[in-house]
Structure formats: C-alpha cells, structure tokens
C-alpha cells in the first residue's frame, strides 16, 4: 500500500533504516537452523487453526448482533464519507462485513484500540490446548518452532498495543442497542482470555516485556493517543446526533483518525 511505502521509504534516513532491517533479516535467516516441524506440532497447529477459525466465524459471521455492534462501536460508517485511501471502504454500498475490504475492516478496529481481527479466537484455541494433555507440546512449539513463536510474538505485540478500556469507552458512548452491548462485554472477556493465554504460554508477566523498544514507544505515545481516542468518540457522537454535515466535525474526525493511525503504527 502507498502509505506504507511512504512510511518506510519516503525519506532517505527511513529508507536506509528499512534496508538495514531487511538485510539483517535475510542474513539472519540464511544462518539460522530451521528444524522441520514435528508431526505432533502439526497436529496441535491444526487444532489451533480449527478452533480459532470456528470461534472467529461464529461471532463475526454467525452472531446477528455483530454487524450492529461493529457499525456502532467503530468509525466504519464514517470512513466512506472521508477522503481516506485510494479505494472505497466497501466493495458495494450494502451488505454485511463480507462486503468490506480488508483495509477498512482492520482500520476500524485499530482506531478503537481493540484490534479484534488479530486475536479473536486465539484465546479459545491456546487456552484449550494449555488445559489439555498437549500443553507440553504447545510450549515446546513456542520454544523450538521459530515460525510459531513469531506468530505468537506478533499477537502479543498487537495485544500490548491494544487498550480494552478505550474500546469500552467507544461502546459505552456510541452503542445504543442492548444486545450489541452484551456482545461487546463478551468480546472484552475474550480479549482478557487471550491475554492470559499468551502470558501463560510465553512465561511473561506483562505483555511484550521482552520488547523494551516497543514498551518505551507505548509509554511515550499512549498518553497522546488516549486523548485523540476520547476526542474521536465525542466527534462521532456529535456527527451521529444529527450533525453529519458539519464540516468542522468532519475535519476533526479526519485529524483524530490520522493521529490514532500514526500513534498505533498500524494503519490496517
């Protein structure tokens, strides 16, 4: 995507740093020993895949409360009215979540600091295996299977960037439907469950404690992004309360969206 090209290569110093990272990664991979996955690992991985996929689909596609919840608790509806990106937010004007393009789908959840598409279903899958006789196999996978460890580390990184209290603020102010609110509470329970499962698997006491650079970044920028989120919620509330044509509010929303996206470092 164009914004990522600009972010990584738009300035000479950033381009040089990006090439440094790419070169180091390629060289590290060349000299790294990557053992073939054990058959037992593959069986557990298939179980994780099946469980997480079933949970994800049961909520996103199978729960009739989800679309009203998603449209209320995120700025998804407003994205189509803003000049963001080179393509429309939806492939067609009507339809459910299946009609959304991938970028606005992730972008909307990133704005609320929920990041739901990254972790939904992961907690159920990991938690189930950790409570089973295959728990030692799962820990062995994390310690000795580089690809699996990288996957868990990415989930942990995104969880560290997430703020359930901010996502709950969006829900408490913007979601009016009681059934949708019930779903929101259930989703937050799953968020807490995936955090616990990831911490148990990694052996960490706090999320991303092995990533000091990320932790320093979050400590600096979260206080600013938190304020932008609160302002965005109030702006969305006013726009939805009958001021949808207010140019000042639209401009404020666009500024808040840009600020949160830059602060999170994940545009979708």
């Amino acid at each position: 995507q164009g914004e990522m090209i600009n972010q990584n290569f738009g300035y000479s110093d950033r381009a040089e740093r990006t090439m440094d990272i790419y070169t180091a990664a390629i060289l590290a991979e060349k000299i790294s020993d990557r053992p073939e996955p054990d058959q037992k690992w593959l069986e557990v991985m298939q179980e994780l895949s099946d469980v997480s996929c079933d949970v994800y689909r049961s909520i996103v596609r199978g729960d009739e409360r989800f679309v009203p919840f998603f449209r209320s608790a995120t700025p998804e509806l407003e994205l189509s009215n803003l000049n963001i990106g080179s393509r429309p937010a939806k492939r067609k004007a009507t339809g459910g979540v299946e009609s959304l393009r991938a970028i606005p789908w992730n972008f909307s959840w990133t704005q609320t600091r929920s990041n739901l598409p990254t972790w939904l279903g992961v907690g159920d899958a990991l938690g189930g295996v950790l409570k089973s006789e295959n728990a030692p196999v799962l820990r062995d996978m994390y310690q000795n299977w580089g690809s699996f460890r990288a996957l868990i580390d990415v989930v942990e990184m995104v969880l560290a960037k997430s703020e359930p209290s901010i996502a709950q603020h969006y829900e408490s102010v913007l979601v009016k439907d009681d059934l949708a609110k019930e779903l929101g509470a259930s989703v937050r329970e799953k968020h807490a469950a995936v955090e616990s499962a990831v911490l148990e698997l990694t052996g960490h006491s706090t999320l991303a404690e092995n990533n000091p650079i990320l932790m320093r970044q979050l400590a600096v920028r979260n206080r600013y992004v938190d304020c932008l989120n609160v302002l965005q919620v109030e702006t969305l509330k006013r726009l939805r309360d009958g001021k949808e044509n207010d140019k000042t509010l639209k401009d404020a929303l666009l500024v808040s969206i840009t600020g949160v996206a830059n602060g999170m470092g994940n545009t979708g």
Side-chain angles (χ1 to χ4, degrees), residues 175-237:
V175 179
K176 307 301 182 184
D177 183 77
D178 290 336
L179 294 177
K181 288 183 177 180
E182 291 177 2
L183 178 61
S186 176
V187 167
R188 287 195 300 279
E189 290 176 0
K190 289 190 175 296
H191 191 282
V194 70
E195 284 191 359
S196 297
V198 168
L199 289 174
E200 182 178 350
L201 176 59
T202 61
H204 297 161
S205 56
T206 58
L207 292 169
E209 68 178 21
N210 62 332
N211 191 340
I213 295 177
L214 174 62
M215 299 310 294
R216 285 199 299 271
Q217 290 174 337
L218 294 178
V220 170
R221 70 192 185 198
N222 272 2
R223 66 192 72 182
Y224 301 103
V225 182
D226 291 349
C227 294
L228 287 171
N229 281 122
V230 173
L231 291 171
Q232 185 179 106
V233 170
E234 180 61 25
T235 304
L236 287 168
K237 180 177 182 297

Side-chain angles (χ1 to χ4, degrees), residues 13-27:
D13 57 340
R14 290 188 185 180
E16 183 178 352
R17 177 58 179 159
T18 299
M19 293 307 299
D20 285 345
I21 294 172
Y22 289 176
T23 303
I26 292 171
L27 292 175

Side-chain angles (χ1 to χ4, degrees), residues 1 84-90 101 103:
Q1 295 300 318
I84 298 176
S86 57
R87 291 180 292 180
K90 303 180 75 172
R101 295 185 184 276
I103 290 177

Side-chain angles (χ1 to χ4, degrees), residues 61-102:
R61 293 183 177 271
D63 195 318
E64 62 183 12
R65 301 170 297 175
F66 184 79
V67 172
F69 170 70
F70 170 57
R71 297 237 163 97
S72 300
T74 75
E76 183 264 334
L77 287 173
E78 287 74 16
L79 288 177
S80 60
N81 296 321
L82 296 173
N83 186 24
I84 298 176
S86 57
R87 291 180 292 180
K90 303 180 75 172
R91 290 182 171 86
K92 54 184 178 179
T94 59
V97 292
E98 71 280 355
S99 67
L100 282 169
R101 295 185 184 276

